[in-house]
Amino acid sequence: MENVIDENKQGTSLKLASKPDNTKKLYIESYGCQMNFSDSEIVASILHKEGFNTTSQLEDADLVLVNTCSIRDKAEQTVRKRLEKYNAVKRQNPKMKVGVLGCMAERLKSKFLEEEKIVDLVVGPDAYKDLPNLIAEVEEGRNAVNVILSKDETYGDIAPVRLNSNGVSAFVSITRGCDNMCTFCVVPFTRGRERSREPQSILEEIKDLANRGFKEVTLLGQNVDSFLWYGGGMKKDFAKASDLQKATAVDFAALLELCAKAQPKMRFRFSTSNPQDMSLDVIKTMAKYNNICNYIHLPVQSGSDRILKEMNRQHTRAEYFELIDNVNKLLPDCSISHDIICGFPTETEEDHKDTLSLMEYVKYSFGYMFAYSERPGTLAARKLDDDIPEKVKKRRLSEVVELQQKHSLIRSKAFLNQETEVLIEKTSKKSDSEWSGRNPQNTTVVFPKENYKIGDFVMVKVEDCTSATLKGKAIGYSKNM
Ligand code: 5AD
Ligand code: SF4
C-alpha cells in the first residue's frame, strides 16, 4: 500500500496549451496517496477533451472536483471541511457544480448526496471515463453517481495531463486495486480487485515523458510487486489463463527491467512494495541496473507476529527479517522505509515493544507512522473491538516516531563526506540560492546552485545533515546518467 499523506492537497493548474474552445473551468484538488494525484491527471485529461481547462482559482470554477481518501477518519474529515469551503463559494456562484471522486465516493456512494447537500456528482476510482456523461446529467439538473468497480479498467489508453509538474519527475501507474485484504484497510473495498496495465502502454507513457525532458519515473500501484500482465484481467484469474498467456506473462521484475533498459538515461522508482509479494528477482533486477533507485518502501505495520496475523499480513516477523537481510546483502546501499500502525485492536505493550525492536533491527531511513483508525466495513471493524484508548495509541505512536527520528539521523550521518548522485528538482524551500533534489536512496539533498539547472544529475559531496536532509556542494555532473 502506498505512503499516504492525507493532509496533502493541491489545487491544480493545467500546464498544457489551452485549446481556444476550452472555455469551461475545472478546479481539481487531490488528497491522499500518490495514486490519487496520478488519477487526477487522468481525470484532467478526460475533461480536457470535454472543453475544460483547469484553474487554480476555486472562485473561477464551473466544476470543482475533489479526489478523496478514506484511509483514516482524519483524511475523510479533511475533505468534509473542504466541502464546507466549496459551499461558501457556491453561495456566490450558484452555477458551480461540485463532484466527489476517489475512495470516499466509492465508500459512501449515493449516501454522499444525502449527507453533503452541496455535492452534485459522485464518481468512484474506476468510473472516470464516464465523467462526460455524468457531467451532462448534472448540467441537466440531475445528480449523477457512478461507483461501479471494474475488473479490467487501468486507464492505460489515457495520456495523463501532468498537473503541478516540475517537468523532471512523474508518476506512472502500473496496477490498480488490491487483493490483499489487510484487515484494517479500506482500499480493497474502495479500489477493487488487483489488475495490471499493459506493459506496452506503460513503456509508451515513459517514452513520451523522456521525450518531454522528464528524468525520473515512479511506477505506482497499491502493491507493485504483484504486477502481472498476461493479456488483461484480474490478478486472481491468472490461474485460468492459457499456457501461452502463462508463458509470456510479465511480472514486476520483468517490467522493471523493460523500463530500465528502454530508458537508460532515466531514473526509476516504485511504490509500494508488499513484503509478502516482493521477490528476490526484483531485488536482483535493482542490483543489475544503475538507473533503478536503491530505495524500497516496505510497510511492515507491526513487529508482533500475533498482530501481523490479526492484520492478515501474510508474513511473519522472521520472514520480514529474511527479506531485509536479502536486500542488505544484494543492495548494500539501499534505503528502506516503512509504514507502521500503532494501537491496532488488542495490541499489548509487549506487541508494541516488538515493533520497536523490529525497528531497531532494520534501522529504517524513513517512515510513515499512524495511530489505528477504525474503518467501517473492514474485517477489523467487524471482528475486533477498537479497544486501545486514544491516549495509549498516541503515546505508542510518539515512541515509534521518536525512534524513527533517531534512526533517520543515523542513516543521514552515514552519507557524511560521501559523494551522492542528486537529480535537481526545485529551488530549496529555505534558500533561493540552493537547489533541492533527491539521491537514489530518496533522501533530500540541498546545495548551492552554481551553474547547475533543474533536471541535471549532479554528484554532491555531503558536508552536513539533519535527520531529513543532506547538505553539501556539487562536485560535477554524474557520469552514470
Ligand atoms: N488506520 C491507520 N493507518 C492505516 N493505514 C491503512 N489503513 C489504516 C487504518 N485503518 C496505513 C497503513 C498503510 C498506509 C498507507 O496507511 O500503514 O500502509
Ligand atoms: Fe496495502 Fe494491505 Fe491496504 Fe492492500 S489491503 S492497500 S496491501 S494496506
Side-chain angles (χ1 to χ4, degrees):
M1 171 71 211
E2 69 274 49
N3 40 322
V4 168
I5 314 145
D6 43 22
E7 287 72 34
N8 212 353
K9 74 131 218 230
Q10 276 168 341
T12 51
S13 57
L14 190 59
K15 303 242 171 33
L16 197 88
S18 301
K19 283 192 198 164
D21 54 345
N22 271 18
T23 50
K24 293 183 275 184
K25 292 202 180 98
L26 164 68
Y27 177 90
I28 183 162
E29 206 167 84
S30 308
Y31 291 84
C33 62
Q34 291 155 342
M35 189 65 97
N36 261 8
F37 284 78
S38 171
D39 279 0
S40 291
E41 297 186 336
I42 286 164
V43 168
S45 173
I46 292 169
L47 292 185
H48 189 251
K49 292 200 187 84
E50 297 298 309
F52 283 92
N53 268 329
T54 55
T55 172
S56 53
Q57 299 302 316
L58 175 58
E59 289 73 13
D60 292 349
D62 300 299
L63 174 65
V64 174
L65 295 178
V66 57
N67 202 344
T68 61
C69 171
S70 285
I71 200 100
R72 283 171 289 278
D73 184 55
K74 199 169 155 207
E76 293 202 348
Q77 294 315 326
T78 310
V79 167
R80 302 250 188 211
K81 279 242 158 60
R82 281 308 282 167
L83 290 173
E84 283 171 25
K85 169 74 184 166
Y86 304 159
N87 210 358
V89 176
K90 199 171 176 171
R91 267 185 238 121
Q92 309 300 317
N93 176 10
K95 281 199 188 134
M96 183 179 107
K97 304 294 179 201
V98 176
V100 179
L101 314 178
C103 289
M104 260 177 108
E106 193 63 49
R107 194 176 85 70
L108 293 160
K109 304 187 169 58
S110 52
K111 245 169 75 187
F112 227 115
L113 299 171
E114 294 148 34
E115 287 178 22
E116 302 281 352
K117 298 280 178 248
I118 180 202
V119 173
D120 305 290
L121 184 70
V122 179
V123 191
D126 286 347
Y128 298 146
K129 281 188 189 157
D130 198 26
L131 268 165
N133 301 324
L134 297 167
I135 290 169
E137 289 268 310
V138 168
E139 277 167 2
E140 282 170 23
R142 290 185 293 275
N143 287 335
V145 179
N146 186 344
V147 288
I148 295 170
L149 286 171
S150 160
K151 293 175 183 164
D152 46 23
E153 182 62 83
T154 61
Y155 300 112
D157 54 336
I158 304 228
V161 161
R162 304 289 161 191
L163 299 167
N164 289 315
S165 169
N166 59 9
V168 171
S169 50
F171 296 118
V172 170
S173 82
I174 63 163
T175 68
R176 295 182 76 82
C178 184
D179 284 352
N180 280 343
M181 297 305 282
C182 299
T183 58
F184 52 80
C185 188
V186 78
V187 167
F189 302 95
T190 59
R191 286 189 167 268
R193 304 307 299 249
E194 230 165 64
R195 60 222 109 110
S196 299
R197 179 175 165 191
E198 188 196 6
Q200 199 50 39
S201 82
I202 298 171
L203 291 171
E204 272 160 25
E205 188 176 335
I206 293 170
K207 186 171 165 198
D208 176 58
L209 287 165
N211 289 342
R212 285 158 52 199
F214 282 79
K215 299 289 169 67
E216 186 179 272
V217 159
T218 303
L219 305 174
L220 274 189
Q222 256 75 36
N223 181 2
V224 284
D225 297 281
S226 75
F227 178 92
L228 188 63
W229 173 260
Y230 60 97
M234 293 186 286
K235 169 93 182 268
K236 77 170 181 62
D237 289 339
F238 180 61
K240 291 185 232 152
S242 69
D243 289 346
L244 181 65
Q245 281 177 315
K246 282 183 182 155
T248 54
V250 178
D251 66 6
F252 183 55
L255 178 73
L256 258 185
E257 179 152 35
L258 284 172
C259 295
K261 268 192 181 159
Q263 300 297 337
K265 294 282 164 206
M266 258 185 155
R267 218 158 70 162
F268 290 92
R269 301 181 182 279
F270 53 88
S271 191
T272 289
S273 298
N274 191 308
Q276 76 203 41
D277 297 307
M278 184 158 205
S279 68
L280 266 186
D281 276 353
V282 169
I283 305 170
K284 286 181 186 158
T285 307
M286 291 172 77
K288 193 165 154 196
Y289 292 94
N290 249 337
N291 59 335
I292 305 177
C293 290
N294 282 349
Y295 166 56
I296 307 172
H297 181 55
L298 200 58
V300 68
Q301 317 296 1
S302 169
S304 151
D305 273 333
R306 192 183 65 80
I307 296 292
L308 285 172
K309 207 155 181 218
E310 290 287 3
M311 288 175 160
N312 193 31
R313 303 287 287 181
Q314 304 291 319
H315 63 85
T316 61
R317 175 185 170 95
E319 284 162 345
Y320 189 81
F321 284 158
E322 198 183 313
L323 181 58
I324 296 288
D325 293 346
N326 277 327
V327 172
N328 289 338
K329 195 166 77 200
L330 294 166
L331 296 168
D333 67 345
C334 187
S335 65
I336 302 171
S337 61
H338 67 79
D339 289 346
I340 284 175
I341 298 177
C342 298
F344 184 81
T346 77
E347 186 187 68
T348 63
E349 284 305 315
E350 265 325 292
D351 294 321
H352 171 59
K353 285 201 180 106
D354 284 348
T355 298
L356 295 173
S357 72
L358 176 138
M359 291 174 74
E360 283 290 4
Y361 184 90
V362 183
K363 293 208 171 44
Y364 294 99
S365 299
F366 326 94
Y368 301 88
M369 297 147 279
F370 314 100
Y372 174 69
S373 165
E374 187 179 79
R375 307 313 295 132
T378 56
L379 214 68
R382 280 184 275 148
K383 294 260 164 72
L384 299 166
D385 209 18
D386 183 9
D387 59 351
I388 309 298
E390 272 324 291
K391 234 176 109 183
V392 176
K393 285 184 192 169
K394 291 272 148 64
R395 195 251 308 147
R396 290 180 188 165
L397 178 61
S398 64
E399 285 172 16
V400 165
V401 169
E402 198 180 316
L403 185 59
Q404 183 50 54
Q405 267 164 1
K406 196 176 113 190
H407 292 159
S408 295
L409 186 61
I410 294 172
R411 292 293 184 185
S412 288
K413 280 186 173 164
F415 283 106
L416 286 177
N417 302 315
Q418 307 284 317
E419 290 168 18
T420 192
E421 182 191 83
V422 181
L423 171 59
I424 303 178
E425 288 172 87
K426 57 189 176 199
T427 293
S428 153
K429 271 193 207 129
K430 292 217 174 112
S431 161
D432 280 350
S433 63
E434 289 184 322
W435 288 129
S436 169
R438 281 170 298 151
N439 67 5
Q441 289 80 3
N442 208 33
T443 304
T444 299
V445 185
V446 295
F447 58 96
K449 283 184 171 173
E450 300 181 65
N451 291 325
Y452 298 104
K453 56 183 195 311
I454 290 181
D456 284 344
F457 284 104
V458 175
M459 295 309 294
V460 175
K461 175 97 188 269
V462 180
E463 295 163 340
D464 196 4
C465 72
T466 64
S467 60
T469 311
L470 306 178
K471 293 172 192 168
K473 192 173 172 351
I475 53 170
Y477 293 103
S478 165
K479 293 194 178 66
N480 282 332
M481 300 302 293

